[in-house]
Coordinates of all heavy atoms in Angstrom, one line a residue:
Q1 N 95.4 104.0 110.9 CA 94.0 103.8 110.5 C 93.9 102.4 109.8 O 92.8 101.8 109.9 CB 93.6 104.9 109.5 CG 93.5 106.2 110.1 CD 93.4 107.3 109.1 OE1 94.3 107.6 108.3 NE2 92.3 108.0 109.2
K2 N 94.9 101.9 109.2 CA 94.9 100.6 108.7 C 96.1 99.8 109.3 O 97.2 100.3 109.2 CB 95.1 100.6 107.1 CG 93.9 101.3 106.5 CD 94.1 101.4 105.0 CE 92.9 102.1 104.4 NZ 93.1 103.3 103.7
T3 N 95.8 98.7 109.9 CA 96.8 97.9 110.6 C 97.0 96.6 109.9 O 96.0 96.0 109.3 CB 96.5 97.7 112.1 OG1 95.3 97.0 112.2 CG2 96.4 99.0 112.8
S4 N 98.2 96.1 110.0 CA 98.4 94.7 109.5 C 97.9 93.7 110.5 O 97.7 94.0 111.6 CB 99.9 94.5 109.2 OG 100.6 94.7 110.4
G5 N 97.7 92.5 110.0 CA 97.2 91.4 110.9 C 98.1 91.3 112.1 O 99.3 91.6 112.1
G6 N 97.5 90.9 113.2 CA 98.3 90.6 114.5 C 98.4 91.8 115.4 O 99.0 91.7 116.4
A7 N 97.8 92.9 115.0 CA 97.8 94.1 115.9 C 97.0 93.8 117.2 O 95.9 93.3 117.1 CB 97.3 95.3 115.2
L8 N 97.5 94.2 118.3 CA 96.8 94.0 119.6 C 95.5 94.9 119.7 O 94.5 94.5 120.1 CB 97.7 94.3 120.7 CG 97.2 94.0 122.2 CD1 96.8 92.6 122.3 CD2 98.3 94.4 123.2
G9 N 95.7 96.2 119.3 CA 94.6 97.1 119.5 C 93.9 97.4 118.1 O 94.3 97.0 117.1
M10 N 92.8 98.2 118.3 CA 92.0 98.5 117.1 C 92.7 99.7 116.3 O 93.4 100.5 116.9 CB 90.6 98.9 117.5 CG 90.5 100.1 118.4 SD 88.8 100.6 118.7 CE 88.7 101.9 117.5
P11 N 92.5 99.8 115.0 CA 93.0 100.9 114.3 C 92.3 102.2 114.7 O 91.2 102.2 115.1 CB 92.7 100.6 112.8 CG 91.9 99.3 112.8 CD 91.7 98.8 114.2
T12 N 93.0 103.3 114.5 CA 92.5 104.6 114.8 C 91.4 104.9 113.7 O 91.7 104.7 112.5 CB 93.6 105.7 114.8 OG1 94.5 105.4 115.8 CG2 93.0 107.1 115.0
Q13 N 90.3 105.4 114.1 CA 89.2 105.7 113.2 C 88.9 107.2 113.3 O 88.5 107.6 114.4 CB 88.0 104.9 113.4 CG 88.2 103.4 113.4 CD 87.1 102.6 114.0 OE1 86.2 103.1 114.7 NE2 87.1 101.3 113.7
I14 N 88.9 107.9 112.2 CA 88.5 109.3 112.2 C 87.3 109.4 111.3 O 87.4 109.1 110.1 CB 89.6 110.2 111.7 CG1 90.8 110.1 112.6 CG2 89.2 111.7 111.6 CD1 92.1 110.8 112.2
T15 N 86.2 109.9 111.8 CA 84.9 110.0 111.0 C 84.4 111.4 111.1 O 84.5 112.1 112.1 CB 83.8 109.0 111.5 OG1 83.6 109.2 112.9 CG2 84.2 107.6 111.3
F16 N 83.9 111.9 110.0 CA 83.4 113.2 109.8 C 81.9 113.2 109.6 O 81.4 112.4 108.9 CB 84.1 113.9 108.6 CG 85.6 114.1 108.8 CD1 86.4 113.1 108.4 CD2 86.1 115.2 109.4 CE1 87.8 113.3 108.5 CE2 87.5 115.4 109.6 CZ 88.3 114.4 109.1
E17 N 81.2 114.1 110.4 CA 79.8 114.3 110.2 C 79.5 114.9 108.8 O 80.3 115.8 108.4 CB 79.3 115.2 111.3 CG 77.9 114.9 111.8 CD 77.6 115.8 113.1 OE1 77.3 116.9 112.9 OE2 77.7 115.2 114.2
E18 N 78.5 114.5 108.2 CA 78.1 115.1 106.9 C 77.9 116.6 107.1 O 77.3 117.0 108.1 CB 76.9 114.4 106.3 CG 77.2 113.1 105.7 CD 76.1 112.6 104.8 OE1 75.6 113.4 104.0 OE2 75.9 111.4 104.8
N19 N 78.3 117.4 106.1 CA 78.2 118.8 106.1 C 78.1 119.3 104.6 O 79.0 119.1 103.9 CB 79.4 119.5 106.8 CG 79.2 120.9 107.0 OD1 78.8 121.6 106.1 ND2 79.5 121.4 108.2
D20 N 77.0 119.9 104.3 CA 76.8 120.4 102.9 C 77.6 121.6 102.5 O 77.8 121.9 101.4 CB 75.3 120.8 102.7 CG 74.4 119.6 102.8 OD1 74.8 118.5 102.5 OD2 73.2 119.8 103.1
T21 N 78.3 122.2 103.5 CA 79.0 123.4 103.2 C 80.6 123.2 103.2 O 81.3 124.0 102.8 CB 78.8 124.5 104.3 OG1 79.2 124.1 105.6 CG2 77.3 124.9 104.3
I22 N 81.0 121.9 103.5 CA 82.4 121.6 103.5 C 82.6 120.3 102.8 O 81.9 119.3 103.1 CB 82.9 121.5 105.0 CG1 82.8 122.8 105.7 CG2 84.4 121.0 105.0 CD1 83.1 122.8 107.2
E23 N 83.5 120.3 101.8 CA 83.8 119.1 101.1 C 85.1 118.4 101.6 O 86.1 119.1 101.7 CB 83.9 119.4 99.6 CG 84.3 118.3 98.7 CD 84.6 118.7 97.3 OE1 84.3 119.9 96.9 OE2 85.1 117.9 96.5
L24 N 85.0 117.1 101.8 CA 86.3 116.4 102.2 C 87.0 116.0 100.9 O 86.3 115.5 100.0 CB 85.9 115.1 103.0 CG 85.2 115.3 104.3 CD1 84.9 114.0 104.9 CD2 86.0 116.2 105.3
I25 N 88.2 116.3 100.8 CA 89.0 116.0 99.6 C 89.9 114.9 99.9 O 90.9 115.0 100.7 CB 89.8 117.2 99.1 CG1 88.8 118.4 98.8 CG2 90.6 116.9 97.8 CD1 89.4 119.7 98.5
G26 N 89.8 113.7 99.2 CA 90.6 112.6 99.4 C 90.4 111.9 100.8 O 89.5 112.2 101.5
E27 N 91.3 111.0 101.1 CA 91.3 110.2 102.3 C 92.1 111.0 103.4 O 93.0 111.7 103.1 CB 91.9 108.9 102.1 CG 91.2 108.0 101.1 CD 89.9 107.5 101.6 OE1 89.9 107.1 102.8 OE2 88.9 107.4 100.8
T28 N 91.8 110.6 104.7 CA 92.6 111.1 105.8 C 93.9 110.4 105.8 O 93.9 109.2 105.8 CB 91.9 110.9 107.1 OG1 90.6 111.5 107.0 CG2 92.7 111.6 108.3
E29 N 95.0 111.1 105.8 CA 96.4 110.5 105.8 C 97.0 110.6 107.2 O 96.9 111.6 107.8 CB 97.3 111.2 104.8 CG 96.8 111.0 103.3 CD 97.7 111.7 102.3 OE1 98.8 112.0 102.7 OE2 97.2 112.0 101.2
G30 N 97.6 109.5 107.6 CA 98.2 109.5 108.9 C 99.7 109.1 108.8 O 100.1 108.3 108.0
K31 N 100.5 109.7 109.7 CA 101.9 109.3 109.8 C 102.4 109.5 111.2 O 101.9 110.2 112.0 CB 102.7 110.2 108.8 CG 102.7 111.7 109.1 CD 103.5 112.4 108.1 CE 103.5 113.9 108.4 NZ 104.3 114.7 107.5
A32 N 103.5 108.8 111.5 CA 104.2 108.9 112.8 C 104.8 110.3 112.9 O 105.2 111.0 112.0 CB 105.3 107.9 112.9
A33 N 104.8 110.8 114.2 CA 105.3 112.1 114.5 C 106.1 112.1 115.8 O 105.9 111.1 116.6 CB 104.2 113.2 114.5
G34 N 106.8 113.1 116.1 CA 107.5 113.1 117.4 C 109.0 112.7 117.2 O 109.3 111.9 116.4
E35 N 109.8 113.3 118.0 CA 111.2 113.0 118.0 C 111.5 111.5 118.3 O 111.0 111.0 119.2 CB 112.0 113.9 119.0 CG 113.5 113.8 118.9 CD 114.1 114.8 119.8 OE1 113.6 115.9 120.0 OE2 115.1 114.4 120.4
G36 N 112.3 110.9 117.4 CA 112.6 109.5 117.6 C 111.6 108.5 117.1 O 111.7 107.3 117.4
S37 N 110.5 109.0 116.5 CA 109.5 108.0 116.0 C 110.0 107.3 114.8 O 110.8 107.7 114.1 CB 108.2 108.7 115.7 OG 108.3 109.9 115.0
K38 N 109.5 106.1 114.7 CA 109.9 105.2 113.6 C 108.9 105.2 112.5 O 107.8 104.8 112.7 CB 110.1 103.7 114.2 CG 111.1 103.7 115.3 CD 111.2 102.3 115.9 CE 112.1 102.3 117.1 NZ 112.0 101.1 117.9
P39 N 109.3 105.7 111.3 CA 108.3 105.8 110.3 C 107.6 104.5 109.8 O 106.5 104.5 109.4 CB 109.0 106.5 109.1 CG 110.5 106.4 109.5 CD 110.6 106.1 111.0
N40 N 108.3 103.4 109.9 CA 107.7 102.2 109.4 C 107.3 101.2 110.5 O 107.0 100.1 110.2 CB 108.8 101.4 108.5 CG 109.1 102.2 107.2 OD1 108.2 102.9 106.7 ND2 110.3 102.2 106.8
A41 N 107.2 101.7 111.7 CA 106.7 100.9 112.8 C 105.2 100.5 112.6 O 104.5 101.3 112.0 CB 106.9 101.6 114.1
P42 N 104.8 99.4 113.2 CA 103.4 99.0 113.0 C 102.4 99.8 113.9 O 101.2 99.7 113.8 CB 103.3 97.6 113.5 CG 104.5 97.4 114.4 CD 105.6 98.4 113.9
Y43 N 102.9 100.8 114.7 CA 102.1 101.6 115.5 C 102.8 102.9 115.7 O 104.0 103.1 115.4 CB 101.7 101.0 116.8 CG 102.9 100.4 117.6 CD1 103.8 101.3 118.3 CD2 103.2 99.1 117.6 CE1 104.9 100.8 119.0 CE2 104.2 98.5 118.3 CZ 105.1 99.4 119.0 OH 106.2 98.9 119.7
F44 N 102.1 103.9 116.2 CA 102.6 105.3 116.5 C 102.9 105.3 118.0 O 102.0 105.2 118.9 CB 101.6 106.4 116.2 CG 101.1 106.3 114.7 CD1 99.8 106.5 114.4 CD2 102.0 106.2 113.7 CE1 99.4 106.5 113.1 CE2 101.6 106.2 112.4 CZ 100.3 106.4 112.1
S45 N 104.2 105.5 118.4 CA 104.6 105.5 119.8 C 104.9 106.8 120.4 O 104.9 107.0 121.6 CB 105.7 104.5 120.0 OG 106.8 104.9 119.2
K46 N 105.3 107.8 119.6 CA 105.6 109.1 120.2 C 104.5 110.1 119.9 O 104.1 110.9 120.7 CB 106.9 109.7 119.5 CG 108.1 108.8 119.6 CD 108.7 108.8 121.0 CE 110.0 107.9 121.0 NZ 110.4 107.7 122.3

């Protein structure tokens, strides 16, 4: 969602439609997943 300078592509953006019956708590957190993924890589590859 937040990329450092020099990234080739655009950051991933997750947006939620407003809803009076559901409250969003905090920010959306993202992390690498998948076997062999690199946690500190500048992008998600797996």
